[in-house]
Amino acid sequence: MLRRALLGMSRSRGIKNLVTRLPVTSDVVARFVAGESTVQAIAATRQLAGAGLKITIDYLGEDTTSREQADAVALAYVDLLGRLRDAELTPAAEVSVKLSALGQALPEGEKIALEHAHTICGAAETAGTTVTLDAEDHTTTDSTLSVLRELRRDFPRTGAVLQAYLYRTEGDCRDLAVEGSRVRLCKGAYNEPESVAFTDAHEVDRAYVRCLKILLAGPGYPMLATHDPRLIEIGLKLARDNVRPIDSYELQMLYGIRPTEQQRLVNLGHQVRVYLPYGNDWYGYLVRRLAERPANVGFFARSLVSKN
Ligand SMILES: Cc1cc2nc3c(=O)[nH]c(=O)nc-3n(C[C@H](O)[C@H](O)[C@H](O)COP(=O)(O)OP(=O)(O)OC[C@H]3O[C@@H](n4cnc5c(N)ncnc54)[C@H](O)[C@@H]3O)c2cc1C
């Protein structure tokens, strides 16, 4: 209920103006966002890599409304990848990309987003790493998976995120559980209607397990993106049941969420990747993190009062 209300409210311009007056250094933003600059993102990446974690970096931005903005996002990724290579942080670090930030919603947006994503995949290959396409609201899923198919012709290691809450996702898992395919499975963070998605948390968990079974039984490279201890335990058991080598899948969590658990899993020998967002455009990302956990809202409200 609160989750839906927050995700719905996030579209109000007034609320966005109020919230974005928070500095990135405020506690609530800094908990989830690694900084505004590429230098800060690289410093945070270096620290995580030093502790044995892998990283996927997201240059924050979504719902781009102009060609210029889409071009700028693509350039920022190319610059980031060059710097990661120079800093010898690849292949430990890869990048995550939202196609809506690359212009997917513009007229002829799929073509524009594909061109930009192709350029970013080329830069990633040169830097010795890979790209994963984030999943956004359900209206974009077909377009994102179509861009993925095109990208994989030239860059077969390009990955994609699937959201277990969508009814369609079991089928998408079957399609993508193929040799060389990298699939990041998450629960799903958008405000979706009952016509396309499970809205009950237990139903979402059950769907997540069904998807896990498909991905972990297949020859692809599953990426289990969840902080949910039960789902992690089930995922690790399924990996053992399928006699998967420990380097044939990975666990993934978000920057700032359950960091002690991330490190504990690394110490047990698991591959763990942290999704690390940076940049100025953190509003949409932050609202989704608040909506996931009611306790975060109080923390957030206190920070608005004390720092704004
Ligand atoms: C690597 C990664 C990439 C993702 N990419 C996408 C994407 O492309 N598209 C998309 O729709 N969603 C994405 N998500 C978000 C995902 O869909 C969920 O909304 C999010 O992970 C919370 O679900 P959960 O599986 O952790 O389970 P939950 O049941 O929500 O959480 C389990 C436990 O984790 C902790 N926790 C979870 N979220 C928070 C939080 N915000 N603050 C504090 N503690 C928390 C709590 O202890 C909670 O009890 C991604 C998540 C990860 C980890």
Side-chain angles (χ1 to χ4, degrees), residues 271-290:
Q271 300 195 99
V272 182
R273 191 176 299 271
V274 177
Y275 184 103
L276 184 145
Y278 81 100
N280 299 317
D281 196 357
W282 43 260
Y283 174 74
Y285 182 85
L286 179 72
V287 170
R288 289 192 292 280
R289 300 298 73 82
L290 297 179

Side-chain angles (χ1 to χ4, degrees), residues 29-43:
V29 184
R31 171 170 178 200
F32 298 111
V33 176
E36 285 188 326
S37 69
T38 312
V39 170
Q40 286 168 308
I42 288 181

Side-chain angles (χ1 to χ4, degrees), residues 126-202:
T126 306
T129 190
T130 52
V131 175
T132 301
L133 304 181
D134 279 352
E136 301 182 66
D137 76 73
H138 77 276
T139 62
T140 64
T141 311
D142 279 329
S143 163
T144 299
L145 294 181
S146 147
V147 169
L148 175 75
R149 276 191 296 278
E150 288 302 315
L151 292 172
R152 289 194 72 221
R153 290 179 205 273
D154 292 335
F155 306 103
R157 293 199 305 142
T158 308
V161 179
L162 295 179
Q163 297 152 314
Y165 64 12
L166 294 182
Y167 303 139
R168 61 175 287 163
T169 296
E170 267 184 81
D172 291 332
C173 285
R174 268 184 222 105
D175 292 346
L176 288 177
V178 294
E179 190 68 44
S181 159
R182 294 165 58 255
V183 176
R184 173 180 297 157
L185 181 67
C186 68
K187 289 189 185 179
Y190 292 77
N191 197 10
E192 298 293 13
E194 260 175 325
S195 53
V196 299
F198 297 106
T199 50
D200 175 80
H202 297 296

Side-chain angles (χ1 to χ4, degrees), residues 105-131:
L106 298 173
E108 295 200 55
E110 187 173 312
K111 186 165 164 278
I112 297 169
L114 171 60
E115 279 168 17
H116 282 324
H118 197 275
T119 305
I120 296 168
C121 287
E125 189 169 82
T126 306
T129 190
T130 52
V131 175

